[in-house]
Amino acid sequence: RAAAELLDDPGFAEKVDRLPFMPGQRVVALGESTTDDLLSWFEILRHVITLRRPADGITLVNMAVSGHTSTQALTLLPGLSFHRPDWVLCMLGGNDAQRLGSVDGPTLVSLPETERNLRVLCDLVTRSVAERWAWITPTPVDETRVAAYQPFRRAGVTWANRDLDAIRRILTARPDLTVDGYAVIARQAGERSHLEDGLHLSLAGQQAITAAVVDTLMGRS
């Protein structure tokens, strides 16, 4: 239904037709819970392509793992090679920015290490596995909801948009194709882009990311 709603817009449907995925190609996603979600932007994209281009035989493989940091994602490289992807879409960094104890506590992964991990991941994959790579930047959180969410309070974890924006700036400064997911959600201020926890995206938020991915990739067709 989420995919069909997007395709109700003729302009969006035309962009899907112009996506640079050729018949028979394989597209793999790397990421964490925002992508691993069964209602994620990538799963919506899968249905969009199936509905609009059923004869093209394009395969989408979701290798995202909820809770993964960029460090843990590096362990997926051996498995990624078995999928022989033509494209890799990567949305990582949100868990790296998790702060322990308080908003001033240490992050799960330091910013220099996040930058190094993402660079290594892209370089290794594009050198030996897949030539085509695209980033989706981490999205902002609703800091008020995150701070009020009892499971996060009991666990002593939190997120701050300054950390997520720092990762976004690293990615947008790279020469690679990048979807600015942070800006997409930030522009939806006042919309219901997040679930109750303030961290994970609502279905509307996921649809917005799907539309942004299609817009950005369509420019490479």
Side-chain angles (χ1 to χ4, degrees):
R1 179 173 57 81
E5 287 176 358
L6 289 173
L7 288 169
D8 283 342
D9 177 356
F12 176 82
E14 182 182 355
K15 291 174 185 176
V16 174
D17 293 340
R18 295 168 57 193
L19 284 173
F21 303 150
M22 297 297 102
Q25 285 194 332
R26 186 175 295 261
V27 183
V28 173
L30 299 177
E32 26 84 293
S33 57
T34 301
T35 307
D36 190 21
D37 191 329
L38 291 177
L39 293 175
S40 76
W41 62 271
F42 189 73
E43 296 303 322
I44 296 171
L45 180 64
R46 180 202 308 281
H47 287 283
V48 161
I49 291 173
T50 299
L51 290 168
R52 186 69 183 178
R53 300 170 58 178
D56 284 351
I58 299 166
T59 301
L60 278 75
V61 180
N62 195 339
M63 289 187 66
V65 180
S66 183
H68 256 198
T69 64
S70 62
T71 305
Q72 292 168 306
L74 288 171
T75 66
L76 298 176
L77 282 173
L80 180 62
S81 63
F82 285 105
H83 287 290
R84 302 178 65 85
D86 298 284
W87 279 85
V88 174
L89 310 182
C90 181
M91 187 178 190
L92 284 165
N95 287 315
D96 292 34
Q98 177 182 314
R99 285 194 176 264
L100 308 175
S102 71
V103 291
D104 297 315
T107 55
L108 205 56
V109 180
S110 70
L111 186 61
E113 186 70 3
T114 296
E115 182 173 13
R116 174 259 181 192
N117 290 341
L118 296 177
R119 183 184 69 250
V120 167
L121 191 62
C122 180
D123 289 350
L124 289 176
V125 169
T126 54
R127 187 184 308 157
S128 59
V129 180
E131 293 184 6
R132 300 169 183 85
W133 179 283
W135 300 103
I136 299 91
T137 69
T139 53
V141 299
D142 183 324
E143 292 179 333
T144 300
R145 288 190 195 177
V146 168
Y149 193 60
Q150 286 301 316
F152 292 159
R153 291 167 64 93
R154 288 195 294 269
V157 299
T158 193
W159 283 260
N161 284 329
R162 67 178 187 274
D163 300 317
L164 296 162
D165 187 47
I167 297 171
R168 169 222 195 179
R169 291 197 301 271
I170 287 172
L171 293 177
T172 55
R174 289 182 57 89
D176 317 298
L177 184 64
T178 303
V179 181
D180 193 348
Y182 190 101
V184 169
I185 298 303
R187 283 196 298 266
Q188 306 224 350
E191 301 288 337
R192 299 289 290 184
S193 297
H194 294 91
L195 299 177
E196 180 187 0
D197 62 10
L199 173 67
H200 295 97
L201 295 179
S202 65
L203 184 56
Q206 294 282 13
Q207 285 177 305
I209 297 297
T210 305
V213 169
V214 169
D215 277 345
T216 303
L217 292 179
M218 183 269 299
R220 286 293 181 93
S221 61

